[in-house]
Amino acid sequence: MLYRLLSRHLNAGQLAGFVLANLCGMTIVLAAVQFATDIIPMFTGSDSFMKPGQMVMAKHVSTVRTLTGKAPTFTQKEIADVRHQPFVSDVGTFTPSLFSVVATLGSQKLGVEFSTEMFFEAVPDAFMDVDTSRWHWKEEDEEVPIVLPRNYLNLYNFGFASSQGLPALSESLVSMVKIRFILRGSAGRKELTGRVVAFSKKLNTILVPQAFMDEMNTTLSPERKPEPSRLIVTVSTPADERIAEYLSNHSYETEADDAEAARTAHLLRIIISIVLVVGLIISALAFYVLLLSIFLLLQKNTEKIDTLLLIGYSPQAVARPYHLLTISLNTLVLILSVIIVLLLRGYYLPLFGQLYPSYSAASLSPALLTGVALYLLVTLLNYVAIRRKVMSVWHLHEH
């Protein structure tokens, strides 16, 4: 009898409007959460093409500084000042090598040998933008891992090699080649081998592990102390206007792409946040539509509900059909939303793969957990609202 009563007075148009509105809101929320989960690793991953909120800072090299011979290095006081800025969350230093480096490829026995002078730098592991699983060194190790800037390889492949008729080199091929190094300092000389383990898109320098750099500086040039000429700074809000003001006041510079990359990542987060808010607002309005529909249905049936209560039905039994209706509609909305998100994901994931060949799709768990949380929240609120309405009729009947 209760279910016949419910179906007889059910406003299909109102419920269809609820389903459509709630479907739009739920889909927007889940799609925004899943899109953020899928795309943020491209910006923040260990091998990302953009490290948001991170910039390389150096002192401006002026003509006066050049003529006076004053090195553009940072003192401990200046580093501490940068670290204590309100927009800075972490600071790392580029540790320079205090010894000369000669790198040799090939062998005299084979009749092909190339040598060149170069340099090393090191940064703390936390600031590396490559996979650090192979980025370790101990004193007993026979090889030292090297990270080269990716643009070095690009300059060779698309500039030097093409003009000289030489073959282009892939990253995997370069990583297979052993390089012999001769290190010379005031306290001695050391020979060792190295291997390129990764190519950095962010850090434009030749990197070795911090432990190796500290050991070699101490061993080969114990009388000198390394003074960093560059800082790698993590900022909490890349678009903060105080950053540009601070750089200008202290004559500091950042590498060209750093600020733009940080602003882009920050803008992406803002857009995703706006989309999430819009989706939540639509979901809230859809919930209100459903609640209004249920209230109107209850209002139309107030007399019959009162009759049902008089003949012995409990308030829980009277409210049960309405609870089942809302649970069914919310379940339908959740399932359809997940299906739509899967379809959207199937469209944009291949595009991510084309832009970022090593991209690996994230889990669908964040969207599913968000959907289940919204489902439980809306269902609970519906349950409470319906129960209160039926109980109010019950209390009127008692009085």
Side-chain angles (χ1 to χ4, degrees):
M1 178 178 178
L2 291 175
Y3 294 98
R4 289 199 301 270
L5 178 66
L6 176 62
S7 60
R8 188 182 308 159
H9 295 274
L10 192 62
N11 191 321
Q14 289 177 341
L15 297 183
F18 157 75
V19 171
L20 182 61
N22 204 17
L23 179 62
C24 291
M26 180 77 80
T27 301
I28 290 174
V29 172
L30 300 192
V33 170
Q34 190 58 47
F35 184 77
T37 303
D38 289 330
I39 200 172
I40 289 300
M42 296 176 64
F43 290 79
T44 61
S46 61
D47 193 24
S48 66
F49 60 82
M50 188 181 300
K51 193 81 169 180
Q54 197 174 88
M55 58 182 62
V56 176
M57 185 182 298
K59 288 187 174 181
H60 176 67
V61 180
S62 62
T63 304
V64 174
R65 187 183 295 274
T66 302
L67 294 175
T68 57
K70 187 177 180 181
T73 58
F74 288 89
T75 64
Q76 291 301 316
K77 182 179 179 181
E78 290 170 331
I79 295 173
D81 181 65
V82 173
R83 182 174 283 109
H84 287 98
Q85 295 306 308
F87 50 81
V88 173
S89 54
D90 199 5
V91 177
T93 60
F94 284 78
T95 304
S97 56
L98 303 180
F99 46 85
S100 64
V101 181
V102 176
T104 303
L105 287 172
S107 171
Q108 290 182 349
K109 296 180 180 180
L110 299 176
V112 179
E113 187 177 55
F114 301 96
S115 296
T116 182
E117 292 189 2
M118 56 186 296
F119 65 94
F120 288 151
E121 282 189 297
V123 297
D125 292 352
F127 295 92
M128 296 292 292
D129 66 330
V130 298
D131 182 6
T132 57
S133 60
R134 300 168 62 191
W135 190 244
H136 52 80
W137 180 87
K138 298 185 295 294
E139 190 172 352
E140 61 271 16
D141 289 346
E142 297 180 356
E143 289 185 352
V144 56
I146 308 292
V147 170
L148 293 179
R150 183 157 287 148
N151 61 356
Y152 280 25
L153 185 61
N154 292 337
L155 286 173
Y156 170 81
N157 286 336
F158 306 118
F160 183 77
S162 60
S163 65
Q164 301 297 318
L166 298 173
L169 301 177
S170 66
E171 292 184 10
S172 58
L173 182 61
V174 174
S175 299
M176 294 171 59
V177 178
K178 288 187 177 182
I179 308 172
R180 289 182 290 118
F181 294 107
I182 299 176
L183 314 180
R184 289 189 179 92
S186 59
R189 178 178 182 272
K190 190 173 182 65
E191 293 188 20
L192 48 84
T193 60
R195 189 188 299 272
V196 176
V197 298
F199 289 83
S200 173
K201 296 178 181 179
K202 181 73 175 178
L203 301 174
N204 192 25
T205 188
I206 303 171
L207 293 170
V208 293
Q210 186 72 55
F212 173 81
M213 179 65 77
D214 294 340
E215 177 67 23
M216 291 301 104
N217 279 340
T218 302
T219 302
L220 299 177
S221 299
E223 77 286 355
R224 298 173 60 189
K225 184 178 180 181
E227 297 180 356
S229 58
R230 292 188 296 169
L231 305 178
I232 183 165
V233 182
T234 302
V235 294
S236 53
T237 307
D240 197 323
E241 297 178 355
R242 293 174 295 180
I243 298 176
E245 182 181 354
Y246 181 80
L247 294 174
S248 177
N249 292 340
H250 292 77
S251 297
Y252 295 159
E253 297 177 340
T254 61
E255 294 186 359
D257 292 338
D258 290 338
E260 294 301 323
R263 291 192 188 99
T264 302
H266 184 60
L267 179 62
L268 176 66
R269 288 188 172 89
I270 291 176
I271 292 174
I272 292 175
S273 299
I274 292 174
V275 172
L276 278 172
V277 170
V278 171
L280 290 172
I281 291 175
I282 293 176
S283 295
L285 292 175
F287 165 72
Y288 178 75
V289 170
L290 174 64
L291 209 56
L292 184 61
S293 299
I294 297 297
F295 278 167
L296 289 174
L297 185 61
L298 290 169
Q299 193 65 35
K300 288 180 180 179
N301 296 308
T302 298
E303 294 183 3
K304 295 180 179 180
I305 290 174
D306 186 59
T307 302
L308 291 172
L309 293 172
L310 283 173
I311 62 177
Y313 283 97
S314 66
Q316 291 77 12
V318 174
R320 187 176 299 116
Y322 301 99
H323 292 321
L324 293 176
L325 172 65
T326 57
I327 291 173
S328 301
L329 293 177
N330 290 333
T331 303
L332 175 64
V333 167
L334 177 61
I335 293 173
L336 291 177
S337 298
V338 172
I339 292 174
I340 294 174
V341 169
L342 287 173
L343 294 175
L344 290 174
R345 200 166 181 249
Y347 171 76
Y348 67 71
L349 283 182
L351 299 179
F352 289 175
Q354 294 174 9
L355 293 172
Y356 194 50
S358 61
Y359 175 77
S360 178
S363 170
L364 194 65
S365 300
L368 292 177
L369 291 175
T370 302
V372 171
L374 286 175
Y375 168 82
L376 294 176
L377 176 63
V378 172
T379 302
L380 177 62
L381 292 176
N382 287 332
Y383 176 85
V384 172
I386 292 170
R387 187 174 184 280
R388 290 182 62 182
K389 181 64 178 178
V390 173
M391 291 303 296
S392 66
V393 176
W394 168 255
H395 290 316
L396 289 175
H397 166 67
E398 286 186 329
H399 289 83

